[in-house]
Amino acid sequence: MKANKSGSEQKQKSESIGRRGFLALGSALAGSAMMGGKAAAADSYPPKDPDWSLMLGPGVVDRPYGQPSQFVKGVIRRNVPWLTATQESSVSFTPLQDQPGIITANGLFFERYHGGRATVDPAQHRLMIHGMLERPLLLTMDDIRRFPSVSRIHFIECPANGGMEWRAAQLNSLQFTHGMVSCAEWTGVKLSTLLDEVGLKKDAKWALVEGADAAHMDRSLPIEKCLDDVLVVYGQNGEALRPEQGFPLRLIVPGWQGNVNIKWLRRIQIGDQPWFTREETSKYTELMKDGTVRGFTWLIYAKSVITFPCPEKPLKGAGIYEIRGFAWSGKGKVTHVDVSTDGGVNWERAKLQDPVLPKALTRFTHEWRWDGKPTLLQSRCVDETGFVQPTISELRAVRGVNGIYNNNAIQTWQVKPDGSVYDVQLA
Amino acid sequence: MSNSRKLFLGLSVVSALCVGPAIAGDGHPAGYFGYGRAPTDAEIAGWSIAVRPDGQGLPPGKGSVAEGAEIYSDQCAACHGTFGEGEGRYPKLAGGQLTGDRPEPTVGSYWPFATTLFDYINRAMPFPAPHQLTADQVYAMVAYILNLNNIVDNNFVADRDSVPKVKMPHRDAFLWRDPRPDTAAKECMTNCVDPGSIRIESTAEGKSLTPRTTGPLDEMKPE
């Protein structure tokens, strides 16, 4: 009797859920059709149990390769269409305003192509190592995976990041002022392991590294760096390297300008002098105000930026906020980050969040009580060599405004009383 | 015998590395893992396209300014302009000044080495169909572009001997050494600047140089 009753209650309940579930599904569909789902959301606040709690969700492998939530919209790479002549030789920017931790999602890692995104069949991909060495070598991807492997977290920054801000504040968004930096965990083989295997000759001083893309991108690297911490990688954040990042094989040159991190890596030639390729003469060199040109300025110097608030993420009224941001240095670890909430008059030490890794994005936070008045926010990175991130005025005084590359200036965000945030530069 | 020879060779490689400038990573002797195979000479030759300022890597062949003019008008002028002036945002190849507010780095005004022209045209041009010109055609392009910049005369013939000898006008301005750190900011913590002196020099507010970065992809059209 009791069992029967409970059985019938159970039946009733499941019918009821079935009906309600059907209704909920209908309203969810209506909601998503109405863009933003406001109608559905209005029905889902406490004390009501929201629709999605009253129906089953899709099962496992509904999406064998996962995707972000349908509600996460507009968190995408973006480019500046007029900036370059073609999309195949261009750049897209990471939405740092929406990156919560130090790892950049693989789908959001900034892109830089010189001849488009090569589509490389890994079965036919080869890495050739030859030149001033004992044993020239031709390796398949399977061969490369057999070598002892390492995983390291490193940022890659295009040295032109911030290149449009030398003369004045021009780009009113974090994504475009700083989005040519991303950070990932890379897995592969140390280049030094491969260079051991081929046996460098005594006079080997430089390596030409070359890609299999349409640009046949090539750069010269000093052998000391190659033997220090350079990696030849096939893994990125828990999966195979993405095509945008050089699938199946790319170079990671920790802490050095993005351009030398050759994608679709297919050839390493060892020699006794640099090649002075187009990308290290005509490009990626810096015209100084005295007419001289700096070449081989590979290192990314200490830099930081506040990612909240920022032009894309304004404040909503006075009160307590956590200022958040990233700091990085190509010379090693970030030692500390200072934050100013008064335009650089006074500075306070921000908290660094573990892990603090060499040549990786480092996250900082700083509690701030905003009084609702207009103000200027800045962050300043100091790395383990003691180098202090400079202001744009300090950089201009030395280099002028035509260098394009290596702008590691302190970023100033102007906060207006309505909470809106603007990219500005101070005199 | 085979083992002891390997060991001997291994030791000599290790000691060579120890006294040489190149100190390798884990100290394994060459060939320790034995993966992969040696490339054939033909395989190496097919991929060895890098060219150095001393001429290493330049292939046999030659090309004149006149031959270059013809190929250029067929394959290059649409993007780079009839006289190397550059169409739209495609690179300007000739002329240009480095002084003034808007310097124009071109082959003539900026590039330090003529050999780089061969290397780059050969590997990356023409942009939509790269690495498909013959060595003679690439030499002709080098001759023509140098001539457009008044660096060589109309009778110039580019080949593996003549190109490395061309002295580019801006070459000596290049400093191949990183002079940084070139700023020496101090880590001041309090009263670092006079609050009264703080002035906003420039703002991006109201500038619409870039697409919007919130919401769906903004298909901002070129201006």
Side-chain angles (χ1 to χ4, degrees):
Chain A
M1 178 82 169
K2 200 179 177 190
N4 278 349
K5 190 187 171 200
S6 121
S8 119
E9 271 177 6
Q10 187 66 41
K11 189 166 176 253
Q12 261 188 338
K13 198 175 176 192
S14 81
E15 274 174 4
S16 155
I17 286 176
R19 206 173 59 240
R20 279 157 70 189
F22 176 74
L23 290 171
L25 181 65
S27 99
L29 285 173
S32 63
M34 286 166 75
M35 273 300 283
K38 272 194 173 166
D43 291 332
S44 301
Y45 296 119
K48 189 173 182 284
D49 214 10
D51 297 339
W52 47 83
S53 305
L54 302 173
M55 60 187 290
L56 291 174
V60 296
V61 297
D62 170 59
R63 298 190 296 189
Y65 191 95
Q67 295 294 320
S69 161
Q70 65 187 90
F71 298 102
V72 177
K73 285 181 177 148
V75 181
I76 47 177
R77 293 185 283 233
R78 292 178 163 87
N79 71 324
V80 181
W82 59 265
L83 191 61
T84 50
T86 70
Q87 300 292 87
E88 293 81 13
S89 182
S90 194
V91 64
S92 71
F93 299 73
T94 291
L96 292 176
Q97 67 274 18
D98 288 302
Q99 180 172 322
I102 64 169
I103 298 293
T104 306
N106 285 346
L108 300 175
F109 206 102
F110 83 94
E111 302 162 280
R112 175 74 173 102
Y113 306 141
H114 297 78
R117 185 189 65 227
T119 302
V120 176
D121 175 359
Q124 294 190 49
H125 188 69
R126 296 290 182 273
L127 175 63
M128 182 187 286
I129 311 177
H130 67 105
M132 294 181 76
L133 43 81
E134 308 291 341
R135 296 178 74 249
L137 203 52
L138 189 67
L139 297 169
T140 64
M141 285 304 299
D142 284 344
D143 295 333
I144 291 163
R145 288 172 193 280
R146 276 182 73 182
F147 281 99
S149 59
V150 293
S151 291
R152 302 264 191 275
I153 294 176
H154 289 303
F155 72 81
I156 298 180
E157 182 180 21
C158 174
N161 205 16
M164 288 177 68
E165 300 271 299
W166 276 104
R167 287 186 176 78
Q170 300 211 79
L171 311 175
N172 205 40
S173 61
L174 170 62
Q175 185 160 5
F176 289 124
T177 56
H178 287 79
M180 281 195 275
V181 66
S182 299
C183 185
E185 184 196 49
W186 309 100
T187 300
V189 53
K190 291 193 287 186
L191 180 53
S192 61
T193 302
L194 298 179
L195 296 181
D196 276 351
E197 182 69 4
V198 296
L200 294 179
K201 288 192 172 163
K202 193 162 63 67
D203 293 330
K205 292 203 172 61
W206 290 83
L208 178 97
V209 287
E210 187 180 273
D213 58 329
H216 299 75
M217 259 291 298
D218 60 335
R219 288 294 305 259
S220 307
L221 286 177
I223 212 76
E224 292 80 7
K225 180 66 176 174
C226 295
L227 294 174
D228 178 15
D229 58 358
V230 176
L231 306 174
V232 174
V233 307
Y234 41 77
Q236 176 188 356
N237 290 338
E239 61 181 358
L241 199 62
R242 284 289 176 94
E244 292 92 329
Q245 297 307 319
F247 178 86
L249 198 65
R250 83 172 299 174
L251 207 62
I252 293 293
V253 187
W256 284 24
Q257 58 178 230
N259 187 257
V260 300
N261 293 247
I262 295 289
K263 302 195 274 191
W264 310 287
L265 179 72
R266 79 164 190 187
R267 193 169 74 94
I268 300 172
Q269 182 179 351
I270 304 298
D272 60 355
Q273 49 184 281
W275 280 260
F276 295 100
T277 73
R278 186 255 196 177
E279 302 296 330
E280 59 205 23
T281 54
S282 161
K283 305 291 176 185
Y284 301 94
T285 52
E286 302 164 54
L287 178 61
M288 297 291 107
K289 59 180 183 178
D290 63 0
T292 61
V293 182
R294 293 181 181 180
F296 295 161
T297 50
W298 302 292
L299 254 168
I300 298 292
Y301 270 65
K303 191 166 175 178
S304 67
V305 67
I306 292 171
T307 58
F308 176 77
C310 67
E312 292 95 328
K313 302 282 180 187
L315 300 174
K316 289 174 179 167
I320 297 173
Y321 286 94
E322 183 180 68
I323 291 174
R324 298 166 184 155
F326 294 120
W328 61 98
S329 167
K331 285 189 150 186
K333 288 183 181 176
V334 170
T335 314
H336 50 265
V337 175
D338 304 316
V339 167
S340 172
T341 57
D342 60 8
V345 179
N346 299 297
W347 297 80
E348 288 181 290
R349 199 55 58 86
K351 275 188 203 155
L352 296 189
Q353 179 185 285
D354 284 334
V356 178
L357 300 168
K359 307 171 190 182
L361 286 191
T362 299
R363 195 166 173 259
F364 66 87
T365 60
H366 181 67
E367 186 183 304
W368 174 48
R369 182 181 289 275
W370 184 40
D371 57 11
K373 292 182 182 149
T375 192
L376 300 162
L377 304 181
Q378 298 178 323
S379 66
R380 180 178 66 190
C381 174
V382 181
D383 71 15
E384 62 181 319
T385 70
F387 179 82
V388 181
Q389 186 183 358
T391 63
I392 187 70
S393 307
E394 285 166 323
L395 285 171
R396 280 198 206 115
V398 184
R399 303 184 199 167
V401 295
N402 293 322
I404 299 173
Y405 305 99
N406 289 321
N407 176 1
N408 63 326
I410 289 171
Q411 172 67 44
T412 306
W413 297 130
Q414 177 194 26
V415 179
K416 293 200 174 185
D418 66 357
S420 59
V421 179
Y422 299 92
D423 170 26
V424 299
Q425 291 183 0
L426 304 183
Chain B
M1 151 147 179
S2 156
N3 274 350
S4 67
R5 206 179 74 218
K6 264 190 200 156
L7 180 63
F8 174 72
L9 286 172
L11 284 173
S12 65
V13 169
V14 169
S15 64
L17 288 173
C18 289
V19 296
I23 308 299
D26 303 321
H28 285 304
Y32 175 82
F33 294 100
Y35 308 154
R37 66 169 173 85
T40 64
D41 289 346
E43 286 171 333
I44 294 177
W47 275 14
S48 293
I49 57 172
V51 172
R52 295 197 314 204
D54 64 359
Q56 189 203 72
L58 280 172
K62 63 180 166 55
S64 68
V65 173
E67 287 160 346
E70 224 165 286
I71 303 163
Y72 183 91
S73 79
D74 268 8
Q75 310 226 29
C76 317
C79 296
H80 293 294
T82 310
F83 303 103
E85 71 277 17
E87 297 288 344
R89 293 195 70 82
Y90 284 97
K92 185 178 168 85
L93 299 183
Q97 297 289 326
L98 294 182
T99 50
D101 270 0
R102 302 279 159 181
E104 292 185 309
T106 67
V107 172
S109 71
Y110 197 72
W111 287 40
F113 301 104
T115 48
T116 308
L117 259 183
F118 187 98
D119 179 277
Y120 184 66
I121 295 168
N122 180 48
R123 71 175 59 240
M125 290 293 125
F127 186 64
H131 200 210
Q132 290 165 36
L133 298 175
T134 66
D136 286 349
Q137 288 176 314
V138 178
Y139 277 122
M141 295 309 314
V142 171
Y144 181 69
I145 292 166
L146 291 174
N147 181 257
L148 269 184
N149 282 285
N150 300 315
I151 293 167
V152 300
D153 64 32
N154 297 343
N155 301 318
F156 181 76
V157 174
D159 61 25
R160 67 201 308 179
D161 296 319
S162 66
V163 176
K165 292 191 185 111
V166 174
K167 170 89 193 267
M168 299 298 277
H170 207 60
R171 185 204 294 184
D172 295 337
F174 280 77
L175 176 72
W176 299 108
R177 184 175 52 74
D178 190 343
R180 293 175 300 165
D182 54 356
T183 55
K186 294 280 184 289
E187 209 195 352
C188 171
M189 296 303 284
T190 51
N191 301 317
C192 303
V193 290
D194 170 12
S197 75
I198 295 175
R199 187 173 58 80
I200 292 175
E201 185 182 63
S202 64
T203 176
E205 183 180 1
K207 291 187 186 169
S208 51
L209 291 174
T210 52
R212 68 167 185 272
T213 52
T214 52
L217 183 63
D218 181 358
E219 301 282 4
M220 178 185 190
K221 293 287 175 251
E223 288 179 350

